[in-house]
Amino acid sequence: AGTPMVATKVGMVPFMLQNDEDVLVNPGDVEAMKTKIISLLNNSEKYEQESKENREFAEKNLSWAVVADSYLNLYNKMKHE
């Protein structure tokens, strides 16, 4: 966390990145991946902003406490079904 991302549209990645077209590319599209990476490296303001946003997202949604609560809620829900 705390690093800008460029990722492919596979598996759960689009869901995790909230279908953010600024960072998602189609699998195998090397040119699009290259373009997005170079764009980030050439724009320090965008790089810093995305770094900050990604860290905040990770701390809010992916911390161990959040993950543990999610599993506990899931187990409790399944227990009562």
Side-chain angles (χ1 to χ4, degrees), residues 1-3 5 12-20 23 49-64 66-67:
T3 304
M5 292 183 279
M12 292 297 293
V13 173
F15 173 77
M16 293 297 298
L17 299 179
Q18 302 169 339
N19 287 314
D20 185 348
V23 299
Q49 181 62 32
E50 288 195 20
S51 295
K52 180 180 177 227
E53 290 172 1
N54 290 343
R55 174 163 291 288
E56 289 170 355
F57 176 84
E59 289 172 350
K60 180 180 177 187
N61 298 289
L62 304 174
S63 71
W64 284 113
V66 171
V67 171

